[in-house]
């Protein structure tokens, strides 16, 4: 394989293989639950333990999720797809092979649009296929190469995975990060994926350097140049930031290697998150090593018509655009309010009952802010929509001040689980009647002649003192802005 000319300007080329766990109740080929178990090796059965004679039965929910992903990625779902056995030995793989898809994956030729800074980029998805997750290993007393012993847990074995393979369309680590964020957002909108689940995202990143002269004006790189470039495949990446760091490390390592006149080795490397380095694992395995052959225990799958049949929700970009047009939101507010489908649903519900701007302030700024502070998510409160409506209504009808609504009522609702009326009642937050405020204003002026003199002498700070007096007399339930105006009007006479 030829290498880049020393000293020539180099372009970075990256392609990803992203493994995502699909959210289903049961595993892909048996009816063991996918939810995390308390004890190792308890969510298992003869099928996912690979016992002789056990037969796989395909989970319809996993196939549905895969077709929805295909639809969201504008991919083709071929007339017929099938499953293959990928043979290799590793203790986390009880059958000695993984059931996966090979030359007829369920999704082909898709794309995903991503914003990087203020640029839009379209990333090609060459394929996305279904497969089963292996079990998990726990190295005791050290890391993989110096542990005392290793435990194996098959609870995870058979969890449905989708492997999404991109074209080598990325030109830098920051683009990869933006893509992963977008991909997760879309998958979560589909209800097919839960980013909070441990290990739900695993990334293999392929990276090479090609001479800048091979990059066309349109950013495309010649197929032959891509083939020619020696690339490394970095494994064991499990987060967006991990991907960006691992790739930044590889960019520097490969550049330095080429600068010193050394070839980049075609190999598999391991991302060591703790040390922040990639380490050589082995020469890259070739496809022949896996002796792929048809999984005869599973019939071919014909689900292309499901693409029409299965509905998918409005996706984040479209929803963001609609929020801007329909509710007149700023780009920032629209982004925040579409960050998850649950947030967007919550906002729309409030926006339909109140002024969309008021709803945006209350959901995007107040509610999300307070939730975030408490490490809570919208899903912790979306069964309390009616209470939240009542809170916004109290503000819209000027029954309580916005400040009290936010700082007392909302916070108590979240901390104590009370409903808004209970908090208003208990804390005596109902806005004081006009007469009572007027009375308090008169009293404050009568009782504080010095402050009144100061005010007339042009000391504007004196007004704050008088506002404070009125607030005290009304137990904090008057609106400070209103009090300020009333005082000034009274003092002007
Ligand atoms: P393989 O023959 O190793 O299976 P594929 O063509 O299936 O290779 O691609 C596997 C991954 O490698 C894809 O994510 C693809 O985008 C990426 N890839 C292909 N060529 C390059 C390259 N020159 N540099 C970086 N990544 C690449
Ligand atoms: Zn099972
Ligand atoms: Mg391949």
């Amino acid at each position: 394989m030829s290498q880049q000319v020393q000293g020539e300007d180099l372009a970075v080329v990256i392609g990803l293989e992203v493994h995502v766990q699909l959210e289903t109740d049961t595993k892909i080929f048996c009816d063991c639950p996918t939810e995390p178990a308390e004890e190792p090796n308890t969510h298992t059965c003869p099928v996912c333990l690979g016992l002789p004679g056990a037969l796989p039965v395909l989970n319809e929910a996993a196939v549905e999720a895969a077709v929805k992903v295909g639809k969201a990625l504008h991919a083709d779902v071929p007339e017929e797809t099938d499953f293959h056995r990928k043979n290799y030995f590793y203790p986390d793989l009880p059958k000695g092979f993984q059931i996966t898809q090979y030359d007829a994956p369920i999704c082909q030729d898709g794309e995903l649009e991503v914003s990087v800074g203020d640029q839009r980029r379209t990333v090609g998805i060459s394929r996305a296929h279904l497969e089963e997750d292996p079990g998990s290993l726990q190295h005791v007393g050290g890391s993989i190469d110096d542990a005392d012993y290793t435990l194996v847990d098959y609870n995870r074995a058979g969890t449905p995975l989708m492997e999404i393979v991109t074209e080598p369309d990325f030109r830098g680590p920051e683009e990869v990060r933006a893509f992963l964020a977008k991909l997760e957002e879309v998958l979560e909108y589909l209800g097919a994926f839960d980013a909070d689940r441990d290990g739900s995202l695993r990334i293999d990143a392929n990276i090479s350097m090609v001479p800048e002269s091979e990059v066309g004006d349109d950013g495309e790189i010649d197929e032959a140049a891509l083939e020619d470039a020696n690339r490394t495949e970095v494994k064991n990446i499990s987060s967006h930031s991990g991907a960006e760091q691992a790739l930044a490390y590889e960019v520097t390592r490969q550049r330095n290697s080429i600068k010193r006149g050394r070839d980049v080795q075609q190999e598999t490397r391991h991302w060591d998150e703790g040390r922040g380095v990639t380490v050589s694992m082995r020469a890259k395995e070739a496809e022949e090593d896996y002796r792929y052959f048809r999984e005869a225990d599973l019939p071919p799958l014909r689900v292309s018509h499901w693409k029409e049949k299965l509905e998918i929700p409005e996706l984040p970009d479209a929803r963001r655009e609609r929020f801007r047009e329909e509710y007149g939101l700023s780009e920032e507010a629209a982004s925040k309010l579409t960050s998850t489908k649950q947030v967007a649903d919550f906002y729309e519900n409030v926006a339909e009952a109140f002024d969309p701007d008021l709803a945006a302030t209350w959901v995007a700024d107040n509610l999300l802010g307070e939730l975030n502070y408490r490490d809570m998510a919208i899903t912790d409160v979306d069964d309390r929509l009616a209470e939240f409506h009542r809170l916004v209504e109290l503000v819209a009808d000027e029954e309580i001040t916005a400040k009290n609504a936010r700082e007392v009522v909302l916070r108590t609702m979240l901390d104590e689980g009370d409903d808004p009326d209970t908090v208003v009642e208990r804390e005596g937050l109902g806005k004081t009647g006009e007469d009572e405020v007027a009375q308090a204003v008169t009293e404050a002026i009568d009782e504080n002649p010095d402050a009144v003199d100061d005010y007339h002498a042009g000391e504007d700070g004196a007004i704050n003192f008088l506002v404070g007096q009125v607030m005290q007399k009304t137990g904090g339930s008057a609106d400070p802005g209103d009090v300020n105006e009333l005082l000034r009007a009274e003092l002007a006479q």
Side-chain angles (χ1 to χ4, degrees):
M1 225 164 274
S2 85
Q3 263 303 307
Q4 294 84 353
V5 187
Q6 210 179 327
E8 188 170 5
D9 277 347
L10 297 166
V12 175
V13 179
I14 299 167
L16 301 179
E17 292 154 288
V18 185
H19 298 81
V20 296
Q21 278 185 1
L22 295 177
E23 277 296 302
T24 55
D25 295 335
T26 55
K27 295 184 180 182
I28 185 167
F29 299 123
C30 62
D31 57 10
C32 291
T34 52
E35 67 183 3
E38 304 265 316
E39 295 288 326
N41 297 308
T42 50
H43 288 179
T44 52
C45 73
V47 174
C48 55
L49 288 174
L51 301 188
L55 292 174
V57 177
L58 182 58
N59 180 352
E60 185 174 355
V63 180
E64 277 191 9
V67 172
K68 287 183 183 175
V69 171
K71 207 166 160 171
L73 297 176
H74 309 289
D76 299 329
V77 175
E79 198 73 43
E80 183 172 306
T81 92
D82 56 28
F83 289 89
H84 274 70
R85 294 183 176 186
K86 180 179 182 178
N87 298 279
Y88 65 100
F89 174 77
Y90 207 62
D92 62 5
L93 197 65
K95 296 192 292 289
F97 60 85
Q98 178 192 32
I99 303 180
T100 180
Q101 298 194 287
Y102 181 50
D103 48 4
I106 190 160
C107 300
Q108 304 172 13
D109 291 326
E111 60 181 39
L112 184 65
E113 246 195 68
V114 184
S115 313
V116 189
D118 49 11
Q119 272 199 318
R120 298 293 281 174
R121 300 265 283 107
T122 302
V123 175
I125 307 289
S126 40
R127 54 182 283 153
H129 67 251
L130 277 168
E131 62 188 26
E132 58 180 337
D133 210 350
S136 46
L137 300 180
Q138 194 192 331
H139 305 294
V140 180
S143 61
I144 187 163
D145 32 43
D146 60 3
D148 297 332
Y149 57 94
T150 295
L151 298 170
V152 57
D153 178 5
Y154 293 116
N155 283 339
R156 201 184 68 184
T159 300
L161 291 185
M162 204 162 183
E163 177 175 338
I164 300 168
V165 183
T166 77
E167 299 286 343
D169 283 347
F170 303 97
R171 296 290 169 268
E174 62 297 334
E175 293 184 6
V176 167
R177 189 174 182 148
F179 170 84
L180 291 171
K182 181 63 180 292
L183 179 66
E184 272 199 4
E185 191 181 66
V186 169
L187 294 174
E188 287 209 300
Y189 259 69
L190 296 175
F193 176 72
D194 179 4
D196 292 332
R197 199 198 268 233
D198 236 13
S200 57
L201 180 78
R202 268 128 42 204
I203 303 147
D204 300 341
N206 299 272
I207 171 165
S208 69
M209 302 283 171
V210 301
E212 195 70 66
S213 54
E214 301 285 355
V215 185
D217 293 336
D218 52 1
E220 292 288 314
I221 299 177
D222 184 59
E223 283 288 332
L226 290 173
E227 281 286 319
D228 257 6
N230 272 1
R231 62 177 135 113
T232 59
E233 178 172 0
V234 185
K235 294 200 176 263
N236 189 43
I237 304 173
S238 58
S239 69
H240 305 185
S241 59
E244 194 174 10
Q245 287 165 30
L247 287 165
Y249 179 90
E250 266 305 290
V251 169
T252 308
R253 194 189 65 82
Q254 292 194 9
R255 264 192 211 289
N256 286 343
S257 191
I258 294 164
K259 235 192 274 169
R260 296 199 186 103
R262 270 189 262 130
D263 281 0
V264 168
Q265 297 302 315
Q266 182 111 335
E267 64 181 355
T268 301
R269 298 180 72 88
H270 177 89
W271 169 237
D272 185 331
E273 173 116 43
R275 292 198 294 145
V277 299
T278 67
V279 193
S280 177
M281 273 167 82
R282 55 175 183 254
K284 191 182 178 336
E285 57 289 313
E287 206 163 271
E288 306 84 76
D289 296 338
Y290 292 120
R291 299 162 1 257
Y292 279 97
F293 59 88
R294 267 290 316 277
E295 169 55 273
D297 291 337
L298 289 164
L301 191 60
R302 294 192 188 88
V303 290
S304 54
H305 59 289
W306 285 13
K307 230 185 129 184
E308 271 67 58
K309 193 186 83 175
L310 293 174
E311 303 266 344
I312 61 169
E314 187 181 25
L315 293 174
D317 279 349
R319 202 157 189 191
R320 201 159 296 150
E321 203 41 49
R322 183 168 63 76
F323 275 19
R324 294 190 60 186
E325 278 170 22
E326 199 170 322
Y327 302 119
L329 299 182
S330 69
E331 178 143 8
E332 196 196 338
S335 259
K336 244 183 173 176
L337 289 169
T338 51
S339 57
T340 71
K341 181 172 181 296
Q342 289 78 9
V343 168
D345 288 347
F346 196 101
Y347 168 72
E348 282 219 276
N349 192 297
V350 181
E352 270 153 28
F354 301 96
D355 170 58
D357 261 340
L358 183 72
T361 304
W362 273 88
V363 178
D365 300 339
N366 299 344
L367 181 60
L368 291 183
E370 296 294 331
L371 286 174
N372 189 33
Y373 179 71
R374 287 165 179 73
D375 246 338
M376 291 168 76
I378 197 81
T379 42
D380 295 315
V381 294
D382 57 6
D383 56 343
R384 298 176 72 189
L385 244 172
E387 288 177 42
F388 192 78
H389 267 251
R390 177 63 185 148
L391 174 63
V392 178
E393 184 177 59
L394 287 168
V395 179
D397 294 351
E398 300 193 5
E399 288 185 46
I400 55 175
T401 63
K403 187 167 152 53
N404 278 337
R406 187 176 66 243
E407 291 176 7
V408 183
V409 185
L410 178 57
R411 289 180 187 170
T412 312
M413 283 170 69
L414 296 178
D415 291 334
E416 318 285 341
D418 293 325
D419 71 89
D421 286 302
T422 305
V423 183
V424 170
E425 174 105 358
R426 193 173 60 219
E427 306 290 330
L429 300 176
K431 263 198 197 167
T432 314
E434 275 175 37
D435 290 350
E436 207 183 315
V437 178
Q439 173 77 28
V441 165
T442 312
E443 279 176 26
I445 289 173
D446 289 347
E447 288 165 13
N448 299 286
D450 290 351
V452 172
D453 286 346
D454 288 350
Y455 175 77
H456 286 306
E459 239 184 77
D460 216 47
I463 198 82
N464 295 332
F465 172 77
L466 291 169
V467 171
Q469 294 298 304
V470 176
M471 293 306 287
Q472 215 168 49
K473 286 174 189 295
T474 56
S477 58
D479 184 289
D482 293 351
V483 171
N484 194 307
E485 270 176 38
L486 279 172
L487 277 166
R488 286 181 194 277
E490 195 67 23
L491 290 167
Q493 283 174 8

